[in-house]
Amino acid sequence: MTAQNLLVELFVEELPPKALKKLGDAFASVLADQLKAQGLAPDEAVVTAFASPRRLAAHVTGVLARAEDKAVSQKLMPVSVGLDASGQPTSALLKRLGALGADASAVAGLKRAPDGKAEALFYESVAPGVALAAGLQKALDESLAKLPIPKVMSYQLETDCELPGWTSVNFVRPAHGLVALHGSTVVPVKALGLTSGNTTHGHRFEAAVSPVVLKDADSYAVTLAGDGAVIASFAERKAEIARQLAAAAAKVGGGCKPIEDDALLDEVTALVERPNVLICEFEQQFLGVPQECLILTMKANQKYFPLLDAQGKLTNKFLVVSNISPTDASAVIGGNERVVRPRLADAKFFFDQDRKKTLASRVDGLGKVVYHNKLGTQGERTERVRAIARAIGQQLGGDVLAKSADTAAQLAKTDLLTDMVGEFPELQGIMGGYYARHDGLTEDIAFAIEDHYKPRFAGDELPRNLTGVVVALADKLETLVGMFGIGNLPTGDKDPFALRRHALGVVRMLIESRLALHFHALTRQVLAAFPPDLLQDKSVELDEFLIERLKGYLRETGFSGAEVDAAIYARQLGHWSSIPQRLAAVRAFAALPEAPALAAANKRIGNILKKSEGNVAATVNESALVEQAEKDLFAAMQATVPAANAQFDAGDYTASLQSLAALRAPVDAFFDGVMVNADDPALKANRLGLLRELHDAMNRVADLSRLAT
C-alpha cells in the first residue's frame, strides 16, 4: 500500500505555558506509538511534535491508509478435548470455532502442534489490517487520555453532541478545531465534540487569512508561518527567540547579554506564536536596589529578560518578547516600561523600609514564627542551629570560628521577617547578606548568612567561606535530625521537607570542603542540641540515609559500586574528606595484576575471622610458626606492612596499597600449603592472629574484599 505522511492538529484556547512543551511531546509520541502498534506506521517513522499557545499537533511519516493483513494463529484446546476417539470434532471445539466466526468445515484445516506435554489444536486465519480512520480514532483517543494535564477544565459543547449546551467535556482548555490529513485527504475522526477537517486558525491579530486552509500534511508548518503568522514548532520558536534576544543585546552594545534562564525561555516560548523582541528601559535610580530583587521581579512577574553588562552587573535595559509586530512598536515598549515601573518601585520601597531595622533587632521576632508544630518556632530552631554551629566551629577552627559561626547562625533566618523576603521568598539568605553589610557586619558574616542555604540543588556551589560552611552544615543537620526524630522520613518519591537534598548537601560539604568531622559522631552531637525526650533517637537510620546519599554522590563522579563500597567501608575511614584519595588508590590498585587474587584472599580471610570464636587479636608468635608458607608470609609482612603503614599515615593511599600488592605470592602460598583450623588450639590461634594482622593491614585504605568478583 502507498504510504503518505499524516498531520493531526488540535486547536484550543491558550494552553498553560509551563506545561506546553510536555503536552506537545506527549500528544505526538502517544499518537505515533499507537499508530505503530496497529501497523499503520513503521517503527522507523519520523515523528515531529508541534506546540504553540493555541495548538498541539503531530506529523508522522510513512502512514498507511490501511494496515497490512496479519496471519494469526490462535490456540483452541488440547487435541484430546477437541477431537473424540474417532477424530470427529467435539461440541466444545465447534462452539469455540463458532465464537471465532468459523464452522465445522474449518476442522480439517486446524493445525496440530506440541503445547507443553500435550498436543493442541490451532486455528490459523488472516486478520484484516485496520483502516486508518479507525486506527487514528483509537490513537487520538489514547493520546488525549494520556496527556499529562496539570489541571482539567470542564466546559459544555454547543454542537455535534447529544444535548447542545448541556453535554460536558473535560480537557485542559476548550478545543475549537481538529485537523487530520493523510497526504491531502481528510481522515474522518472526532474528538472533544469536534469533527476533523483541513482548516485551522493562525495568529489572533496578524494572520493573513482566517481560517487557514491546509493543502496537505507536509505543508502544515510552512502554511501556518505564511498564512497564519505562527511558528508552530516549539523548538524553532525557542531558537528564534534566543536569536532575537542575542541580536537585541548586541544592538544595546557594551558587551551586554540577556540573563540565561532556560525555564524562562521555555515559558516565554509557550506564551507567543510569533516572537518579536523589543528593547525597553527603566530609570537608573532603581539600580540602587540589589540586582537580585530587580531581576526576580522582572522575570517572575513580567517574563522579561534583564540585560547584564560585560561584568555581570544589571543594566537599566531589559528585553520584552512581544507576540505582535506593529510597524511602530513605541506603544508596546512604552506600555511595558509603565508596567514594570511600579514593580521596581515596590522593590525599592521594600529595600528602603527593611534597612530601617537591623537584623539583630529582628531576632526576637523569630520566636513568633512557627517552624513546625512538633519542633517549635524559628526562634527555638535558631538556638539549636547556633549550638550546633558553635560546636562544629570549635572543632574546626577554635574560638574564632565558633564565635563567627554563632553570630551568622543567630542572624541567618532574620531576613524571613523582612518585607522583601515576604514578597519574594526566593531571596531568603541573599537579602540577609545585603542587610548584614548595611548593619556593618563583616563580609565573612554576610557571606555566611547569604550562603547558608547552599547547596540549594544538585550542582549548586558550596558556601564561599568556612563560616558559611559551618552554618550551612548546622542548618541542614538540624533539619535532618529533627525530621527523622519526629518520624518525617522520605518515602518513595515523596520528600516534602527535601531531606534528600539536605543530606546530599551535607555529603558534599564534608567531602568537598575536606572537613575533619566524623559523621557518626556529628549526628549524635546534633541530637544533643534538642531538648531531652523531644525526639526519637534515629541516629542509625539517619547514618544509613547519609551513607546512601554518599554512595550515590560518589557513583555520579564516575566510580563503580564496588570501588565506592571498598572505600567507604575501610577499616580506618575516619573522616569522609579522605574518600576521594582512597577511591583513586582503589582504582589504581584494581588495575594491578595482583589485585583479583588479593581481593579474593582478603574476602576469604574475612570469612575465616568471622567464623572464629571470640575476638582474634592481631598478635603472632614467630617461634610458633611451623609451615614454611606461614613463615614466608610472616617475613613478607614484616618487610612490607611497616612501609605500607607509613605511606598510609602520610596520606599516600595509592602507594600504600601498591606496597601491599607484593604480598600476593606469599598469601597464595599460605592458603595452598597451610591449614588454618589446625587441631592444635595454640597453632590455630597463632595462624588466626597472623591472618588478623594481615587483614588489618590490607583494609586500612579500603575494604579490598569488596573488589572480589
Side-chain angles (χ1 to χ4, degrees):
M1 293 183 184
T2 303
Q4 296 190 78
N5 297 339
L6 176 74
L7 185 282
V8 179
E9 183 208 66
L10 187 66
F11 182 77
V12 297
E13 295 182 14
E14 277 74 3
L15 292 159
K18 291 184 179 180
L20 179 64
K21 187 176 186 300
K22 189 180 292 184
L23 289 170
D25 291 343
F27 179 78
S29 64
V30 175
L31 186 81
D33 288 345
Q34 288 295 313
L35 293 174
K36 292 176 183 179
Q38 297 177 80
L40 288 165
D43 290 339
E44 63 273 14
V46 178
V47 183
T48 305
F50 297 94
S52 83
R54 298 198 296 160
R55 73 199 74 240
L56 300 173
H59 182 273
V60 186
T61 62
V63 177
L64 298 171
R66 178 180 290 275
E68 295 180 359
D69 296 343
K70 285 186 177 181
V72 178
S73 180
Q74 293 173 281
K75 177 186 171 183
L76 300 177
M77 58 189 65
V79 173
S80 59
V81 177
L83 301 176
D84 60 20
S86 61
Q88 296 302 307
T90 62
S91 59
L93 178 59
L94 293 175
K95 185 176 180 181
R96 180 78 174 104
L97 287 171
L100 296 174
D103 54 25
S105 63
V107 173
L110 295 180
K111 180 181 177 182
R112 295 188 181 198
D115 182 50
K117 295 182 179 180
E119 192 176 32
L121 295 171
F122 291 83
Y123 176 63
E124 296 186 332
S125 61
V126 176
V130 64
L132 178 57
L136 179 58
Q137 185 66 65
K138 180 181 178 182
L140 183 57
D141 292 342
E142 191 74 12
S143 66
L144 295 179
K146 290 187 175 179
L147 279 181
I149 299 174
K151 193 173 183 180
V152 174
M153 286 184 66
S154 181
Y155 62 95
Q156 284 69 48
L157 299 178
E158 298 295 336
T159 59
D160 200 14
C161 61
E162 185 178 352
L163 296 171
W166 293 90
T167 301
S168 293
V169 170
N170 294 320
F171 196 55
V172 59
R173 292 291 186 271
H176 297 289
L178 178 64
V179 174
L181 288 173
H182 185 231
S184 58
T185 304
V186 174
V187 184
V189 291
K190 293 186 175 183
L192 304 173
L194 303 168
T195 301
S196 59
N198 66 342
T199 62
T200 185
H201 298 275
H203 196 287
R204 279 191 184 277
F205 310 111
E206 300 187 349
V209 296
S210 184
V212 176
V213 179
L214 301 171
K215 183 178 67 174
D216 54 40
D218 292 343
S219 64
Y220 175 71
V222 173
T223 303
L224 260 183
D227 293 347
V230 171
I231 302 175
S233 167
F234 188 95
E236 289 180 19
R237 213 162 54 253
K238 182 176 178 178
E240 174 61 15
I241 293 173
R243 185 194 67 76
Q244 290 190 35
L245 288 172
K251 185 177 179 181
V252 172
C256 284
K257 290 184 179 181
I259 194 162
E260 293 183 8
D261 189 324
D262 202 54
L264 175 63
L265 184 56
D266 276 348
E267 189 173 359
V268 171
T269 302
L271 287 168
V272 298
E273 292 185 308
R274 187 171 70 169
N276 178 32
V277 173
L278 304 172
I279 302 170
C280 304
E281 64 179 280
F282 57 83
E283 290 79 357
Q284 287 272 357
Q285 62 172 332
F286 292 121
L287 292 178
V289 179
Q291 69 177 43
E292 291 90 346
C293 309
L294 305 182
I295 290 171
L296 185 59
T297 191
M298 283 191 280
K299 288 189 340 182
N301 297 125
Q302 307 304 137
K303 314 305 175 190
Y304 297 156
F305 288 83
L307 278 177
L308 307 178
D309 64 19
Q311 287 72 45
K313 298 294 184 182
L314 182 67
T315 69
N316 70 321
K317 300 281 198 303
F318 61 95
L319 303 179
V320 174
V321 183
S322 174
N323 195 35
I324 57 176
S325 304
T327 304
D328 181 6
S330 59
V332 179
I333 293 172
N336 280 285
E337 290 176 346
R338 284 194 300 274
V339 166
V340 78
R341 193 172 295 118
R343 293 285 185 181
L344 303 183
D346 285 346
K348 185 176 186 302
F349 174 78
F350 293 146
F351 185 56
D352 291 341
Q353 289 297 111
D354 287 342
R355 288 182 297 170
K356 293 179 180 179
K357 292 180 65 176
T358 64
L359 292 180
S361 69
R362 299 180 186 270
V363 171
D364 289 343
L366 292 173
K368 301 175 184 177
V369 179
V370 175
Y371 166 58
H372 190 281
N373 62 344
K374 293 183 180 179
L375 297 173
T377 66
Q378 281 286 4
E380 291 170 314
R381 179 169 187 257
T382 293
E383 290 304 308
R384 294 194 293 267
V385 174
R386 287 181 67 187
I388 298 164
R390 284 196 302 270
I392 296 174
Q394 191 69 42
Q395 288 176 254
L396 296 177
D399 293 341
V400 174
L401 182 58
K403 184 177 180 181
S404 64
D406 179 45
T407 301
Q410 183 186 32
L411 302 176
K413 303 297 182 185
T414 52
D415 67 352
L416 297 176
L417 304 178
T418 62
D419 292 337
M420 187 71 82
V421 174
E423 181 71 13
F424 301 111
E426 302 92 331
L427 295 176
Q428 58 187 343
I430 294 171
M431 295 314 302
Y434 278 105
Y435 297 144
R437 293 182 186 92
H438 180 264
D439 293 348
L441 296 170
T442 65
E443 279 291 298
D444 190 57
I445 300 296
F447 279 141
I449 293 173
E450 183 178 342
D451 292 350
H452 83 279
Y453 290 104
K454 294 179 180 178
R456 290 182 171 90
F457 49 85
D460 190 19
E461 62 183 13
L462 298 184
R464 285 165 283 186
N465 58 37
L466 190 53
T467 303
V469 169
V470 170
V471 178
L473 192 60
D475 186 66
K476 287 173 171 54
L477 285 170
E478 193 277 342
T479 299
L480 287 164
V481 171
M483 291 301 168
F484 266 71
I486 61 173
N488 279 346
L489 281 65
T491 56
D493 60 348
K494 295 182 180 179
D495 188 8
F497 296 96
L499 300 186
R500 293 186 181 94
R501 177 167 55 81
H502 283 303
L504 181 58
V506 170
V507 167
R508 286 189 57 200
M509 284 186 281
L510 289 175
I511 291 179
E512 295 175 28
S513 296
R514 300 182 63 82
L515 302 182
L517 298 170
H518 197 294
F519 88 100
H520 287 295
L522 198 56
T523 54
R524 286 152 183 80
Q525 190 177 43
V526 173
L527 183 63
F530 286 81
D533 303 324
L534 178 64
L535 306 178
Q536 299 179 54
D537 185 354
K538 294 287 184 179
S539 300
V540 174
E541 291 86 347
L542 180 54
D543 286 355
E544 292 174 354
F545 184 73
L546 286 166
I547 288 173
E548 286 304 310
R549 305 285 84 71
L550 170 66
K551 289 180 179 179
Y553 165 77
L554 296 173
R555 285 194 294 266
E556 287 182 1
T557 62
F559 290 96
S560 69
E563 290 170 334
V564 168
D565 285 351
I568 68 175
Y569 291 113
R571 184 174 66 84
Q572 292 185 344
L573 177 58
H575 309 137
W576 284 2
S577 59
S578 66
I579 288 178
Q581 290 73 35
R582 291 172 185 267
L583 279 168
V586 167
R587 177 160 288 182
F589 173 78
L592 298 175
E594 299 89 349
L598 281 174
N602 191 58
K603 186 174 183 179
R604 184 175 179 181
I605 293 169
N607 290 334
I608 291 171
L609 293 173
K610 284 178 185 176
K611 293 177 182 178
S612 62
E613 297 178 3
N615 293 323
V616 178
T619 56
V620 181
N621 181 359
E622 185 177 1
S623 63
L625 299 173
V626 177
E627 302 290 344
Q628 187 59 45
E630 60 184 327
K631 293 178 181 179
D632 291 343
L633 176 57
F634 180 75
M637 289 169 58
Q638 293 296 103
T640 303
V641 171
N645 286 342
Q647 290 159 339
F648 175 88
D649 294 337
D652 193 347
Y653 302 130
T654 300
S656 180
L657 283 181
Q658 289 176 339
S659 294
L660 293 171
L663 295 174
R664 176 192 171 176
V667 168
D668 287 347
F670 176 87
F671 282 114
D672 288 341
V674 177
M675 175 66 71
V676 176
N677 292 319
D679 293 334
D680 183 347
L683 188 58
K684 176 182 176 180
N686 201 48
R687 288 172 179 172
L688 287 173
L690 179 64
L691 292 182
R692 169 60 73 188
E693 186 174 323
L694 175 62
H695 193 261
D696 289 350
M698 291 176 68
N699 289 285
R700 293 189 77 190
V701 174
D703 183 353
L704 300 183
S705 68
R706 306 274 178 167
L707 302 177
T709 55

